[in-house]
Amino acid sequence: MQTLPHGFGQRGLAWPRALAGLLCFATLLFVADHLIAVGAEPFRIQYVNTAAASGLTMKNTFGGRERKDYILETTGNGAAIFDFNGDGAADIFIANGTTLNHQPTRSQLYKNDGTGKFIDVAEHAGLTHSGWAQGACVADFDNDGHPDLFVTYYGHNILYRNRGDGTFEDVTEKTHLPVSGTRWGTGCAFTDIDNDGFVDLFVSNYVELDLAKTPKPGGAQSCVWKGLPVMCGPTGLPMGHNALYRNNGNGSFTDISEKAGILKPGGRYGLGVIAADFDNDGFPDIYVACDQTPSLLYHNRGNGTFEERGSEAGVAYNFDGRSQSGMGVAVADYDGNGFLDIVKTNFSGDLPSLYNNEDGKFFTDVSRQAGIGKRQLLGWGVLFLDADEDGWPDIFIANGHVYPEVDRTPVGDRYRQQTELYRNLGNGKFTDVTLTSGDAFSELRPARGMASGDLDGDGHPEVVIVNMNEPPSLLKNEASHQNAVVVSLTGTESNRSAIGARVTIESNTHTQMREVMSGGSYLSQNDLALCFGLAAATHIDRLSIHWPSGLKQEWKNLDVNQKFAITEGALAFKTTHLLRRSVASN
């Protein structure tokens, strides 16, 4: 006679009941996971494009509108968000290009009236140079209290010193930066490589381009894409070489590219650049997204030199070891493990690369597992930004094809493409919420650079997108806000811009870390003020800062929905209430 297991009674009814219970539990788990996977959240994300209403109306100029004969016409421009006049409201700089027949143009400097409305003051400010402007980065290079502006060009780059009266002075030659010859500068980043209190300058270079020696569309094997004659490059053209300029602390720079080991890896088609401390050793490293060549990770040895270890670290190629056409780059600790991760945009037909920083030395490309980039569009600008203010940074990607000619062919790609938003689920995965996050994501754009910053004082950063040969876009989240804080830092022993400083906020058992960084996205720079979403937390348990000088400071039990203006070494700081429209509470 067979004996039933203990607990199984008459006619074996206990086993079906147990199985039913397990199935019910599994169903609940599935439903909960499905709700997360489809992006269910307590607060909506609803972005609208407010560019025209805000005064951002000037069209970008960059090469031909309907066709591009040379690669120079395709790369486009970046943007920088910074408070150039010190009135407490972040302003917008948008780099502008020209055409092959040298149409006179200039970049735009949009002054913020304090409410998120703008007027272009570039001419009055002295930003009148015309040419193939590419990107921009910002920092107070001379520590005089006024943020300065560096603009990269095809030709020679320009350093504009902020006079502090609303105007800028071209000090490129005066500071011993190159003004002769022709270079194709693209991404740039200010970073204090030796923590001496003065920011140094890194510049990526794309192609050593000579238009007279460059074939026309279809003129070589590398000038055909999917059977379509297109502009040539970068493959087949001479590679650019990156540059590092050390700040001498006296208003001048010295080129230390060779001495510091920047030239040792050889040439690359360098584009997006960002500097950040990836191994938590207190010294900033430098990452360069490279087009059709392995991307670069310069590890800072702490002695003024760098070791390139992109391949060893796992950030030079994609998950299956292939080179990619890298464009833009963003950095954040998206999974909360205390190490800064990297997201990189790539050419169409490829996934964006999401490199998870495991331990400061090694990264893993988790783009497939994380669930980003299934559309495989052609990405340029990219941001880590907490769209729903739940304390987990989400990913924005600005897309647009490189060839306007694709609109007249059946290849399946389109020149204007969707901007994408991937919501961070807090478990290492992202879900695509593009189609449910507002009308701004239904617009198709020939996008290039992208930058973020709180432009209207509500603590939720807006997003500026540079569109090729069209006016820019300004994305504003009109949905309800959760609680948040903004932290603005000023260095004393550290560099005045506090680039490299780390802020950690603990609230409701959740810990977030941000680093003040220059450069990033695609040839762009975000505002240096750091924005933290806090979900429904009603206070901050602890706010701590690790300054580049080595000084550590912390405060406990702080109010939310404030902007904290903190100066290195000071015990007290200035607070300003954020202009919140609708705030969550417990």
Side-chain angles (χ1 to χ4, degrees), residues 380-410:
W380 299 89
V382 59
L383 303 171
F384 275 113
L385 190 156
D386 189 356
D388 56 359
E389 296 184 325
D390 65 350
W392 298 96
D394 310 301
I395 296 175
F396 286 70
I397 300 179
N399 300 294
H401 212 282
V402 72
Y403 310 121
E405 294 91 340
V406 297
D407 285 342
R408 302 186 295 275
T409 67

Side-chain angles (χ1 to χ4, degrees), residues 418-495:
Q418 270 189 319
T419 300
E420 298 173 287
L421 175 56
Y422 295 92
R423 180 173 177 257
N424 189 336
L425 302 178
N427 60 1
K429 297 183 182 299
F430 293 78
T431 186
D432 187 342
V433 295
T434 302
L435 300 180
T436 60
S437 295
D439 293 342
F441 290 98
S442 65
E443 300 176 19
L444 303 182
R445 304 180 175 93
R448 293 298 187 264
M450 178 165 61
S452 68
D454 180 13
L455 299 173
D456 56 7
D458 66 357
H460 192 103
E462 282 69 47
V463 175
V464 175
I465 302 175
V466 182
N467 300 312
M468 181 167 283
N469 291 314
E470 294 183 6
S473 301
L474 177 59
L475 276 57
K476 180 175 179 59
N477 190 0
E478 296 285 2
S480 299
H481 288 171
Q482 304 201 65
N483 292 319
V485 294
V486 178
V487 181
S488 177
L489 303 180
T490 301
T492 53
E493 293 297 318
S494 305
N495 67 85

